[in-house]
Amino acid sequence: MAPNTRIRLIPLLLLCMSGASFAQGLPALKVSPDLLRSPRPAAAERAVTTGAEASGQAQPSAARARPAPDAPAVVEERALPAGDASASSADHLTAVPAAAQARPSAPVTPPKAEREGAERNASAGKASPAPGTVSAPPAVLPPGMTAVSALRISGARGVELIAEGEAELQRDDTVLTADKVTYREPTDEAFAEGNVVLSRGTDTIRGPRATLVVGDRTGEFESPRYELSRALSPNLAGDAPRSVSGSGEAEVLRLEGENQYRLKNATWTTCSPTDPDWYIKARELELDYDREVGTAHGSSIVFMDTPLFWMPWIEFPLNGQRQSGLLPPTFGSSNKTGVDFTQPYYWNIAPNYDATIAPRFMSRRGVQVGGEFRYLGADYQGTTRVEWMPEDRVTGDERRLGSIQHQHRFAPNLYGTLDLNGVSDDEYFEDLSSNIGVASRVNLLREGRLLYAGGWWSASALVQRYQTLSPEGEAANVEPYRRLPQIALNAYRADLAGGVAAEFESRFTRFEHADPDRFDEATRFVAYPQLSLPVQGASWFLTPKAGVHYTSYDIDRAQANAAKPDSITRSLPIMSIDSGLFFDRETRIFGGDYLQTLEPRLYYLRVANKNQDEVPIFDSNRFDVGFAQIFAENRFSGDDRIGDANDLTAAVTTRFIDSNTGAERLRALIGQRYYFSDQQVYLFDANERRRAGRGNEILAGLGGQINRRVSVDSYLQYNTETQSTERLNANVRYQGGFARVLNLSYRYAPNLVVDSTKKIVGLEDIDVSGQWPLARNWYGVGRVTHSLKDNRVTEAVAGLEYDGGCWVFRTAMHRFAIDESDVTNAIFVQLELNDLAGIGSNPLSLIRRSVPGYGKINDSSADRVFGAQ
């Protein structure tokens, strides 16, 4: 006999020895009727193939006969026990064949330890189960146990088990079903053919044919369709958890261990598995659910059967998590930059470090490179951002931007911050930004700060200056004073004898200016000790307070102020009495039960008058009159002006609070300040002083939820002396449901002052904004701000959104005018593929700022850099 022939005969001899030879002499198996399961009706006439028949043994005719419908189903067949398994195979095997009308469980072969235990029991005279008796398997399989069920089961003991007809193999969380399953226990391999479905938890893979090593979780599927789901952590606290499902098809899918998949000529999408609107199509696709990263080679993104762009290599998130790779490009257009295209690359350096590098092309300006680096430690965090353009085609200049924000905790009570910002030229933001809030920036902050919190006292140190921008063709903006440095020491104790509370404020500041020839410089010291005695009851409070505000200046005068004194001191006693009452009652209005409150309040303030005309103005400005300010000690900010006062403020507030929810439904308040002596101290305009004998300002406000859909918020400031309205804000919102909001607001401030120029510019405008469904899945958003004073539109936004289920399309047009001669137009277009990425320029921040109450129409984690949009 040839050697090759002998080698081929060895497996056949082993099969016969382990199958037919070992099966001889085994007792018949009687399956308990309570283990029977009925097959599908179509299988009712199928014959039973028993293990003994498969091994060549004749069976009694009763075993092949179909029992009567009412008779108990008893099947006799040879046992098909699994042999001793290796560490990678099942601990033991349950084979469950099925008769013509029943699907009984086949024998369970226990592990070796259990067999030895039974033998010891027998030798000791203890009762053991009768040979061949099978107890009912548990509803949930023990860990590592393999169960096989089918309409027909055949095979050889310890070698191969063949299950046909509704075949199912189960171990732990793995369930494999098919028309036919062949299981080889020595190698722990399963071969499935016909309507194959592999389920593991929430993952499902379907195909015509599959090979699987059950314990190793490896194998291969032919022409599969798959759906893999993972839970996604909420982006924000309070958000509902949700899952992200990725699905697709492939020519071949290889399982390479738990959570590892490799596919050939495959697709991946978060849309519905059948007929997805978009998908990634790749020559090779790797899905790593341990790192939550997918890697595609030779890939393209296809939307509505149209390839959008091709990428030789790309990594993308499987669960909305961060990973390194090219981000989808952003593009837009404006009259300042022309066509604007950016291709960012995201570098996930470490869990607490990342960076984004963003080359940007502008058809009018040229090429710019931008980057952002973020870091987070146990005691520190920060962001660094840079932008650089070698040469602007319009101006011919190099243009740069730099920004650093850093927060640090050096010790449990010692904190520090750093905030540095700068640009290369005054027109940087106007030329290169399409955001009105950025384009209109004037002062860029540069400061470092240290703070020590010692419990009842604190100390801080500050170094601060600004870069002031004055775009060409506009009035020059004056740079604020620099604080080099400012040191503060504050303390507060509310537990002194007799209920007395003590407070102390002190500041030492060195003020310097970029133009010392025109502006005074000085060293200022401020100390303000205070004592108060707060007393209160259940429905009232009374707080008398007294203090002395001390200030000293050592001044370096500018040439124009050389005749004024170089040293000034100022001591001003300040006294106040704050008091209030609380009343409430239960009432029924608006068709509901409410608790109505009535809260009257009186505040008397006395500050001595002292001439302060020769004190330079370093950091003081006049507060806008409002409900917070009328109960404040000083009508000026900073310490250079302390307003004289001999006045009484009276106000009353009423609230309607829902008795069931505790939510404030409506509030109304009105207040007025009465002057007992003429004001003498002013800042810029002497006409801002109030005269005695009358109450000048009347303040009124109304706000709350009128009903389920309508809310209002309004504020009025009226001057009784001039009989004119000095400020009026009125806002009405209609919220008809999700993505159904309309806003109408009116603003009027005829004496509004621009801080940088101290010029009265005034303000009167009307603002309309909203979001509303237009048609099926289509939404419109928009805003128009019209200046009634200048009779022109200062800002306009118009946009459309479409919700495609697993994708959203957004487009928006933005027009804003810093002044009549400086108008910027911008266009935003974005295609957001849910849980993958947003392609194009993102208008979401613009829309959210422009439309109060805006509702984002999709729930996605497509912003790969920051995790949430």
Side-chain angles (χ1 to χ4, degrees), residues 215-265:
D216 293 344
R217 302 202 173 200
T218 60
E220 182 176 295
F221 264 80
E222 295 182 12
S223 304
R225 291 176 290 111
Y226 65 92
E227 185 172 1
L228 311 174
S229 300
R230 294 296 185 274
L232 177 63
S233 301
N235 290 328
L236 300 173
D239 287 356
R242 63 185 186 91
S243 63
V244 176
S245 296
S247 60
E249 301 176 349
E251 181 179 306
V252 176
L253 184 152
R254 296 183 178 88
L255 295 85
E256 300 184 341
E258 186 173 5
N259 294 325
Q260 304 294 318
Y261 306 89
R262 187 182 298 272
L263 302 91
K264 180 180 178 182
N265 295 329

Side-chain angles (χ1 to χ4, degrees), residues 215-402:
D216 293 344
R217 302 202 173 200
T218 60
E220 182 176 295
F221 264 80
E222 295 182 12
S223 304
R225 291 176 290 111
Y226 65 92
E227 185 172 1
L228 311 174
S229 300
R230 294 296 185 274
L232 177 63
S233 301
N235 290 328
L236 300 173
D239 287 356
R242 63 185 186 91
S243 63
V244 176
S245 296
S247 60
E249 301 176 349
E251 181 179 306
V252 176
L253 184 152
R254 296 183 178 88
L255 295 85
E256 300 184 341
E258 186 173 5
N259 294 325
Q260 304 294 318
Y261 306 89
R262 187 182 298 272
L263 302 91
K264 180 180 178 182
N265 295 329
T267 64
W268 184 91
T269 182
T270 60
C271 294
S272 170
T274 59
D275 192 22
D277 290 342
W278 70 265
Y279 53 87
I280 294 177
K281 184 178 181 180
R283 183 183 69 254
E284 292 184 9
L285 183 63
E286 301 172 16
L287 304 179
D288 184 346
Y289 277 94
D290 287 328
R291 296 191 303 126
E292 303 292 355
V293 174
T295 305
H297 300 270
S299 63
S300 59
I301 293 182
V302 180
F303 178 71
M304 294 296 181
D305 299 324
T306 303
L308 297 182
F309 45 84
W310 180 83
M311 295 163 291
W313 171 85
I314 186 175
E315 285 189 343
F316 58 93
L318 298 176
N319 201 14
Q321 302 298 320
R322 306 178 306 160
Q323 69 283 319
S324 300
L326 288 173
L327 301 179
T330 65
F331 50 85
S333 176
S334 76
N335 61 325
K336 295 293 184 70
T337 63
V339 177
D340 194 339
F341 176 86
T342 304
Q343 175 56 71
Y345 177 85
Y346 178 69
W347 183 14
N348 187 27
I349 304 170
N352 59 329
Y353 296 91
D354 64 11
T356 304
I357 303 169
R360 178 185 181 189
F361 171 78
M362 294 165 278
S363 60
R364 288 199 65 210
R365 302 284 177 176
V367 177
Q368 180 191 67
V369 178
E372 182 183 65
F373 173 67
R374 303 187 305 175
Y375 54 92
L376 175 65
D379 297 314
Y380 60 86
Q381 63 179 7
T383 302
T384 300
R385 180 185 172 197
V386 295
E387 294 177 359
W388 176 63
M389 179 182 290
E391 183 179 1
D392 189 325
R393 293 175 182 173
V394 177
T395 65
D397 299 326
E398 178 187 10
R399 312 192 76 173
R400 304 175 304 277
L401 174 146

Side-chain angles (χ1 to χ4, degrees), residues 673-861:
R673 178 177 286 173
Y674 298 88
Y675 300 94
F676 300 112
S677 59
D678 295 340
Q679 292 182 344
Q680 303 296 325
V681 179
Y682 65 94
L683 193 60
F684 303 114
D685 184 5
N687 294 325
E688 72 188 33
R689 297 176 295 184
R690 304 306 189 193
R691 293 189 299 172
R694 63 187 69 193
N696 287 96
E697 292 95 6
I698 294 181
L699 307 179
L702 176 67
Q705 198 78 25
I706 303 301
N707 55 38
R708 262 188 331 116
R709 295 181 174 86
V710 179
S711 60
V712 298
D713 190 11
S714 60
Y715 168 76
L716 170 68
Q717 177 185 338
Y718 183 78
N719 190 319
T720 58
E721 183 176 7
T722 61
Q723 296 185 346
S724 63
T725 299
E726 295 188 344
R727 179 156 297 191
L728 173 61
N729 295 333
N731 303 281
V732 180
R733 176 184 298 179
Y734 176 83
Q735 190 88 48
F738 177 75
R740 297 171 181 264
V741 61
L742 297 174
N743 302 288
L744 175 63
S745 65
Y746 173 78
R747 296 183 298 173
Y748 177 69
N751 300 318
L752 182 68
V753 176
V754 178
D755 291 342
S756 60
T757 62
K758 314 306 179 187
K759 177 183 177 182
I760 298 177
V761 296
L763 171 69
E764 184 179 12
D765 62 32
I766 188 169
D767 188 287
V768 180
S769 64
Q771 177 190 22
W772 205 262
L774 302 178
R776 183 178 180 182
N777 298 336
W778 282 97
Y779 299 81
V781 294
R783 175 184 179 182
V784 176
T785 303
H786 182 78
S787 173
L788 301 177
K789 177 179 177 291
D790 300 328
N791 193 26
R792 64 184 179 91
V793 174
T794 56
E795 185 176 14
V797 177
L800 284 173
E801 297 181 293
Y802 180 81
D803 185 2
C806 60
W807 58 274
V808 169
F809 171 78
R810 295 185 181 92
T811 183
M813 293 177 289
H814 185 208
R815 178 187 185 276
F816 66 88
I818 297 176
D819 55 48
E820 293 185 62
S821 60
D822 191 357
V823 178
T824 298
N825 298 306
I827 299 175
F828 301 83
V829 179
Q830 184 196 42
L831 175 64
E832 183 178 338
L833 308 178
N834 284 5
D835 298 308
L836 179 68
I839 304 171
S841 51
N842 188 355
L844 267 177
S845 59
L846 168 68
I847 294 173
R848 282 172 168 158
R849 177 184 63 81
S850 302
V851 183
Y854 166 80
K856 189 170 183 282
I857 61 176
N858 67 321
D859 186 9
S860 171
S861 58

Side-chain angles (χ1 to χ4, degrees), residues 393-414:
R393 293 175 182 173
V394 177
T395 65
D397 299 326
E398 178 187 10
R399 312 192 76 173
R400 304 175 304 277
L401 174 146
S403 176
I404 298 175
Q405 283 82 40
H406 178 82
Q407 299 86 42
H408 205 119
R409 184 179 65 180
F410 300 102
N413 297 327
L414 181 62

Side-chain angles (χ1 to χ4, degrees), residues 110-263:
K112 181 178 179 181
E114 295 183 15
R115 295 197 304 270
E116 294 175 349
E119 294 171 357
R120 287 194 300 269
N121 290 340
S123 62
K126 297 180 181 178
S128 298
T133 303
V134 179
S135 59
V140 179
L141 295 176
M145 181 177 183
T146 302
V148 178
S149 65
L151 297 178
R152 297 176 300 279
I153 296 180
S154 61
R157 176 182 178 182
V159 178
E160 184 176 85
L161 187 67
I162 301 174
E164 297 180 277
E166 302 180 33
E168 178 181 293
L169 182 149
Q170 179 181 358
R171 183 190 298 172
D172 299 330
D173 63 341
T174 299
V175 178
L176 177 67
T177 63
D179 295 340
K180 178 181 178 181
V181 174
T182 301
Y183 178 65
R184 296 174 180 172
E185 187 178 4
T187 59
D188 201 26
E189 290 181 287
F191 304 90
E193 298 178 80
N195 301 312
V196 182
V197 179
L198 175 65
S199 299
R200 285 177 177 164
T202 58
D203 298 344
T204 303
I205 306 175
R206 306 172 187 271
R209 190 174 291 103
T211 302
L212 182 68
V213 179
V214 182
D216 293 344
R217 302 202 173 200
T218 60
E220 182 176 295
F221 264 80
E222 295 182 12
S223 304
R225 291 176 290 111
Y226 65 92
E227 185 172 1
L228 311 174
S229 300
R230 294 296 185 274
L232 177 63
S233 301
N235 290 328
L236 300 173
D239 287 356
R242 63 185 186 91
S243 63
V244 176
S245 296
S247 60
E249 301 176 349
E251 181 179 306
V252 176
L253 184 152
R254 296 183 178 88
L255 295 85
E256 300 184 341
E258 186 173 5
N259 294 325
Q260 304 294 318
Y261 306 89
R262 187 182 298 272
L263 302 91

Side-chain angles (χ1 to χ4, degrees), residues 504-507 524-529 547-553 567-574 610 639 642:
F504 178 78
E505 301 175 16
S506 64
R507 286 173 291 277
R524 185 184 70 189
F525 175 73
V526 175
Y528 183 23
V548 177
H549 195 286
Y550 172 83
T551 316
S552 68
Y553 292 86
S567 179
I568 299 176
T569 59
R570 180 188 61 196
S571 297
L572 293 172
I574 300 175
K610 189 167 186 177
D639 296 304
I642 305 298

